[in-house]
């Protein structure tokens, strides 16, 4: 059972698969090859093998320079920062049942804005005395 790779990074010599699909540093496919051939290629060109897609059959590896690996890690970090947070945002609004008309309209506009931002909105109405 091959180990799963959580983060993008240099694989080096620990490759749990026998047959790999290898892509060179320019993005061109070199086809399927045995692990030993891929390691030999890696040593000849002074590059590192990086796992791109583990779920593919056979798994896809790319030959990369240290600089390319660093740039890809920075790109992925930026993309992760830019993506919305996985946690659900919930907004809560409460008001009295005796609320004035324009106050109700203002709060309704606020609720609409939150819903457009895909927030979960919880509205609580208190009974007026």
């Amino acid at each position: 059972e091959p180990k799963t790779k959580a983060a993008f990074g240099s694989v080096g010599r620990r490759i749990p698969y026998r047959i790999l699909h290898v892509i060179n540093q320019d993005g061109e496919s070199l086809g399927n090859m045995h692990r030993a051939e891929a390691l030999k290629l890696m040593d000849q060109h002074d590059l590192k093998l990086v796992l791109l897609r583990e779920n593919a059959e056979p798994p896809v590896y790319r030959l990369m320079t240290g600089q390319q690996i660093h740039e890809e890690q920075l790109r992925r970090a930026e993309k992760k920062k830019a993506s919305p947070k996985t946690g659900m945002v919930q907004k809560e609004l409460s008001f009295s049942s005796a609320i004035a008309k324009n106050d109700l309209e203002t709060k309704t506009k606020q609720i609409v804005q939150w819903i457009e931002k895909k927030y979960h909105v919880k509205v609580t109405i208190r009974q007026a005395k």
Side-chain angles (χ1 to χ4, degrees):
E1 179 89 7
K3 290 182 182 177
T4 55
K5 187 120 180 87
F8 174 86
S10 174
V11 174
R13 301 194 161 289
R14 291 184 177 213
I15 300 172
Y17 308 99
R18 291 177 57 84
I19 302 296
L20 321 170
H21 184 84
V22 180
I23 299 171
N24 71 7
Q25 67 268 32
D26 300 323
E28 299 166 8
S29 175
L30 300 177
N32 296 344
M33 59 179 66
H34 192 273
R35 174 178 46 209
E37 289 178 61
L39 290 173
K40 195 182 299 180
L41 239 144
M42 181 181 94
D43 290 338
Q44 286 173 353
H45 297 288
D46 196 28
L47 298 169
K48 293 174 174 54
L49 269 172
V50 178
L51 177 64
L52 292 183
R53 287 191 302 275
E54 191 171 29
N55 300 337
E57 193 54 49
V60 179
Y61 281 80
R62 183 170 180 183
L63 289 165
M64 298 176 109
T65 63
Q67 179 67 30
Q68 287 174 320
I69 292 171
H70 180 70
E71 288 169 1
E72 184 66 25
Q73 285 172 332
L74 290 176
R75 247 194 315 276
R76 288 183 182 214
E78 283 298 316
K79 190 184 280 186
K80 191 175 181 182
K81 280 184 192 175
S83 69
K85 304 288 185 268
T86 55
M88 176 179 62
V89 178
Q90 182 172 353
K91 298 287 187 173
E92 186 172 354
L93 198 62
S94 72
F95 48 88
S96 168
S97 61
I99 189 170
K101 183 180 178 186
N102 62 320
D103 287 345
L104 179 62
E105 289 172 0
T106 303
K107 291 190 181 219
T108 305
K109 287 178 189 172
Q110 181 65 62
I111 292 170
V112 168
Q113 288 176 351
W114 286 340
I115 291 173
E116 286 173 353
K117 291 181 180 178
K118 307 263 191 265
Y119 294 159
H120 288 260
V121 181
K122 181 178 178 182
V123 178
T124 308
I125 303 172
R126 294 183 311 275
Q127 184 177 2
K129 293 181 182 169

